[in-house]
Structure formats: structure tokens, C-alpha cells
Amino acid sequence: GSEDIIAGNVSKCTVLPAGYCGQPKKGHLIFDACFESGNLGRVDHITEFEYDLFIRPDTCNPRFRVWFNFTVENVKESQ
């Protein structure tokens, strides 16, 4: 199958559980890669403790994903 094209970095992306409405709570993670060398293109929430992270391809060789660089905020204790 073909891979989705990931065009840019996530920028202060709050990842909420499916069907959740309202303000984010502690434990609803906030991912950010909108800085030099950031390369996180998409985040999918699976469970409270599991996320699928899609890393953008390396700039000089789109066949490889050798490194990753992003931040995570709003983590609750023991998460």
C-alpha cells in the first residue's frame, strides 16, 4: 500500500481520545515538533499509554528515517 504523505511538523498538537469533548486534561499529551530539526509529522491516539507516531523522512534522503526529534507535554504521573 501507499504511505500517507506527511507534509509538515505537528505544532502543539493535543491528542485526545476518540469521542472526547471538552478541555484537555492532565494526561492528554501535547506533541510539538515545530522547531529546527523537529520531524514528527502525525500522532494517532491508540490508548492512554499508546500512540502511533509518524516520523517525517530525512531531508536529504526521503527513503530513510534515521532520527527523531519532538517534545511531549502534559504528562501525568505514571503515564
Side-chain angles (χ1 to χ4, degrees):
S2 66
E3 215 176 284
D4 291 338
I5 295 183
I6 300 171
N9 289 324
V10 296
S11 178
K12 294 289 183 183
C13 174
T14 303
V15 183
L16 302 172
Y20 179 84
C21 295
Q23 293 294 320
K25 299 185 298 188
K26 194 74 168 172
H28 291 157
L29 301 184
I30 301 169
F31 292 85
D32 186 27
C34 195
F35 50 85
E36 186 175 347
S37 79
N39 69 335
L40 182 61
R42 191 176 93 211
V43 179
D44 293 343
H45 179 268
I46 306 300
T47 70
E48 178 183 4
F49 300 104
E50 184 178 358
Y51 296 80
D52 281 345
L53 306 178
F54 296 84
I55 305 301
R56 291 182 38 246
D58 290 356
T59 302
C60 294
N61 192 338
R63 293 180 50 214
F64 296 105
R65 288 163 177 84
V66 178
W67 53 273
F68 55 91
N69 194 3
F70 56 90
T71 64
V72 181
E73 301 173 20
N74 204 36
V75 179
K76 68 180 178 183
E77 188 177 339
S78 76
Q79 187 179 20

